[in-house]
Amino acid sequence: MRLHCEVEVVSRRLPALGLRSRGRAVRAVLSLCQREPRGGPPRAGLLVATLRDKRGTRYEAHLPLFTGSFSHSELFSAPHSCRVLLPSRLCTHCSLIGRPSPPSSTSIFTCPTSPNPSVLTFQVTFVPPDQLKENIEQFFTKFVDEGRATVRLKEPPVDIYLSKANSSSLKGFLSAVRLAHRGCKVETSLSTLTPVKTSEFEKFKTKMVITSKKDYPLSKNFPYSLEHLQTSYCGLVRVDMRMLCLKNLRKLDLSHNHIKKLPATVGDLIHLQELNLNDNHLESFSVALCQSTLQKSLRSLDLSKNKIKALPVQFCQLRELTDLKLDDNELIRFPFKIGQLTNLRFLSAARNKLPFLPSEFKNLSLEYLDLFGNTFEQPEVLPVIMLQTPLTLLESSARTILYNRIPYSSHIIPFHLCRDLDTAKTCVCGRFCLSCFIQGTSTMNLHSVAHTVVLVDNMGGTEAPVISYFCSLACYVNSCDMLK
């Protein structure tokens, strides 16, 4: 039984010696194998084979056990970590009868009839059968669904770190190892102690590029070890579910296809850093993806050449984004909380239908900005006043919840109220407003938020209209200079 993964073996004695591991895992084939020692039952063990060491390094699932009659030379040459059961006749040369000592004690025996007693002096450690324990001290399987686990051994005192494994294969392998080290019967066939072939390591493919329909795999799965997958010009109308099983995937390129909708399970790719959906038929980007594990992993997103009209408010929860491309869509607005994308450095939204920018756009700190070809409108001279006096109970409570950052969810209050709170507007003073506000527009020089700016029109302009909200008349009056 074999498992393809990355392996790192770390000695637990290193900290005591003031040393630390290099922390580098290597591609390996991990085998659950067995051998039949002379005069004893079969013993299972783990064999770690790498491309440099195809014969591999063996780690016992049980501590070595020796029983029966042995000559002095056999016992003397036994491994340092071996455990010896007290036999009835220790010495075949002089028939010395061993006397049991206290459990786990050490005794020295010397053959009195040997011509060279010093050579035949040997040390035997007596360990009664009830004290022989398994060599695997502990399994760490908290992240087994991510293809990671750790096997801790007693002898030698090492931790075997496993990573980038197929999660289902890893679970089956660990189950077999548990059975083997307990002495139970393993249903699957165990490997033999034979060197691993070079072809075994060719399965560790980390990159695959497919740019035509005829090359697209229909009858076989993608290599589970893939970290970069590109399937362009393949005529895909949906995301292949086999791709969503590639837990090590870091870059997924589905550009130039006909995909209309993304499944929420794309968010289960916990290591995904780059997602390219350029030139598809997408009409939206779902809230479920915005609230998935992509919040912590996604760095680059390309949604160019689709049919997206608006992005959800929750899109701004993808706060690790550094590169966002939205060119050639049908965008009529940015998410008004776009200022929360504090790590964003490259933003391109050319040739859309943006009439203005949200007020929080001023909070961005970009290196590159391209808003060419949008239908920006001229700022309104007069503000839109939607103030109410006194405030409604809904408005007052919503402002209180948001200002004091009181947690809320659809399990506590109705869903439509959660949606209203999520879409609340932010006043220039930092407070919030729901439906009671003053709306004004002004112009902003885009160089104030970006180092490099592509001209917004053919006239050489670098200014764009910005819409602002004010929670009260006082806030509006204090900001009149900004609106002029």
Side-chain angles (χ1 to χ4, degrees):
M1 186 176 189
R2 290 180 172 176
L3 176 71
H4 296 80
C5 62
E6 286 194 355
V7 176
E8 180 185 0
V9 181
V10 179
S11 173
R12 298 197 298 276
R13 290 175 178 168
L14 291 181
L17 299 175
L19 303 174
R20 62 180 181 179
S21 172
R22 295 181 180 179
R24 183 179 179 182
V26 296
R27 290 289 185 182
V29 177
L30 187 63
S31 305
L32 177 59
C33 54
Q34 70 176 7
R35 63 175 177 177
E36 297 185 3
R38 187 182 65 178
R43 294 204 311 275
L46 297 176
L47 184 68
V48 181
T50 63
L51 190 59
R52 290 186 177 182
D53 180 18
K54 298 184 182 65
R55 297 187 64 87
T57 302
R58 179 181 170 87
Y59 298 93
E60 300 287 351
H62 290 79
L63 291 174
L65 173 63
F66 294 86
T67 60
S69 298
F70 296 89
S71 66
H72 291 101
S73 59
E74 288 174 327
L75 286 174
F76 188 73
S77 62
H80 174 71
S81 61
C82 72
R83 305 298 174 92
V84 181
L85 278 181
L86 181 63
S88 59
R89 298 173 64 89
L90 286 178
C91 181
T92 58
H93 179 72
C94 64
S95 300
L96 177 67
I97 303 299
R99 299 284 183 182
S101 300
S104 300
S105 67
T106 300
S107 299
I108 300 296
F109 290 86
T110 303
C111 179
T113 61
S114 171
N116 190 353
S118 61
V119 176
L120 295 178
T121 299
F122 58 93
Q123 178 173 305
V124 178
T125 300
F126 299 105
V127 183
D130 59 351
Q131 291 194 12
L132 285 172
K133 297 181 180 180
E134 298 88 345
N135 194 28
I136 297 179
E137 183 175 319
Q138 192 173 358
F139 291 93
F140 298 92
T141 57
K142 181 178 180 180
F143 301 103
V144 69
D145 289 328
E146 301 176 11
R148 294 186 290 160
T150 300
V151 180
R152 172 165 292 179
L153 301 182
K154 296 179 182 178
E155 291 291 342
V158 298
D159 290 342
I160 303 177
Y161 297 106
L162 312 178
S163 59
K164 295 186 179 180
N166 181 277
S167 58
S168 58
S169 300
L170 180 59
K171 291 177 183 178
F173 187 86
L174 292 177
S175 298
V177 173
R178 283 192 179 96
L179 293 175
H181 95 280
R182 291 172 182 170
C184 302
K185 182 179 179 181
V186 181
E187 297 297 333
T188 56
S189 58
L190 301 184
S191 304
T192 57
L193 291 174
T194 56
V196 178
K197 298 180 180 179
T198 304
S199 59
E200 289 281 346
F201 295 95
E202 295 177 355
K203 299 178 181 179
F204 292 117
K205 194 172 185 179
T206 59
K207 183 177 180 179
M208 176 178 285
V209 178
I210 304 171
T211 56
S212 64
K213 290 183 179 180
K214 64 183 180 63
D215 296 330
Y216 193 83
L218 297 175
S219 58
K220 60 181 181 179
N221 291 328
F222 296 101
Y224 79 93
S225 56
L226 282 181
E227 297 180 4
H228 178 186
L229 175 60
Q230 177 180 348
T231 55
S232 302
Y233 302 99
C234 294
L236 299 177
V237 296
R238 64 178 64 88
V239 177
D240 193 332
M241 299 305 291
R242 293 176 297 172
M243 300 177 184
L244 306 181
C245 298
L246 305 176
K247 299 301 182 181
N248 298 319
L249 208 58
R250 297 181 181 274
K251 183 176 181 179
L252 179 59
D253 188 342
L254 300 173
S255 58
H256 308 290
N257 284 291
H258 308 298
I259 299 173
K260 296 182 179 180
K261 186 177 181 180
L262 291 177
T265 45
V266 171
D268 295 335
L269 299 174
I270 59 176
H271 297 297
L272 191 63
Q273 296 180 355
E274 299 182 33
L275 180 58
N276 189 346
L277 296 163
N278 176 40
D279 192 15
N280 277 279
H281 297 164
L282 294 173
E283 297 181 356
S284 64
F285 194 85
S286 69
V287 174
L289 287 176
C290 300
Q291 297 177 335
S292 67
T293 57
L294 296 181
Q295 291 182 358
K296 298 180 180 180
S297 64
L298 195 61
R299 303 287 190 275
S300 176
L301 178 61
D302 190 346
L303 296 173
S304 303
K305 296 184 179 180
N306 281 281
K307 301 178 181 180
I308 300 175
K309 295 183 178 180
L311 295 172
V313 177
Q314 294 81 0
F315 184 86
C316 300
Q317 295 178 13
L318 301 174
R319 299 186 182 182
E320 297 301 321
L321 273 179
T322 60
D323 193 339
L324 177 59
K325 297 179 181 179
L326 299 168
D327 303 321
D328 300 290
N329 277 281
E330 300 175 7
L331 283 176
I332 58 175
R333 66 175 181 272
F334 276 129
F336 63 89
K337 293 185 179 181
I338 193 172
Q340 295 180 356
L341 299 178
T342 54
N343 291 316
L344 195 62
R345 294 295 176 265
F346 300 89
L347 174 59
S348 181
R351 296 173 295 277
N352 279 280
K353 300 178 181 180
L354 295 172
F356 51 78
L357 302 177
S359 58
E360 288 200 17
F361 197 88
K362 300 177 182 179
N363 298 333
L364 295 176
S365 179
L366 305 173
E367 296 180 13
Y368 177 88
L369 175 62
D370 183 2
L371 297 177
F372 177 80
N374 280 283
T375 56
F376 289 126
E377 299 176 355
Q378 291 297 322
E380 295 287 343
V381 177
L382 297 177
V384 177
I385 301 176
M386 300 184 65
L387 292 177
Q388 291 179 327
T389 304
L391 295 177
T392 63
L393 180 59
L394 176 61
E395 182 76 21
S396 179
S397 58
R399 292 187 179 191
T400 301
I401 289 174
L402 294 172
Y403 180 77
N404 294 284
R405 298 182 179 180
I406 299 174
Y408 62 89
S409 67
S410 57
H411 301 292
I412 303 175
I413 58 177
F415 174 78
H416 71 278
L417 294 180
C418 293
R419 182 184 55 196
D420 292 341
L421 292 172
D422 289 339
T423 57
K425 299 156 181 68
T426 305
C427 176
V428 294
C429 69
R431 293 179 179 271
F432 301 91
C433 44
L434 208 63
S435 57
C436 181
F437 55 83
I438 298 178
Q439 175 183 313
T441 54
S442 61
T443 57
M444 177 184 68
N445 193 317
L446 299 179
H447 279 292
S448 62
V449 296
H451 182 270
T452 302
V453 178
V454 176
L455 303 180
V456 298
D457 53 35
N458 294 323
M459 303 300 294
T462 59
E463 293 187 344
V466 178
I467 190 167
S468 302
Y469 295 94
F470 307 90
C471 62
S472 64
L473 184 60
C475 284
Y476 174 73
V477 172
N478 292 335
S479 302
C480 280
D481 294 338
M482 181 188 70
L483 293 176
K484 290 180 180 181

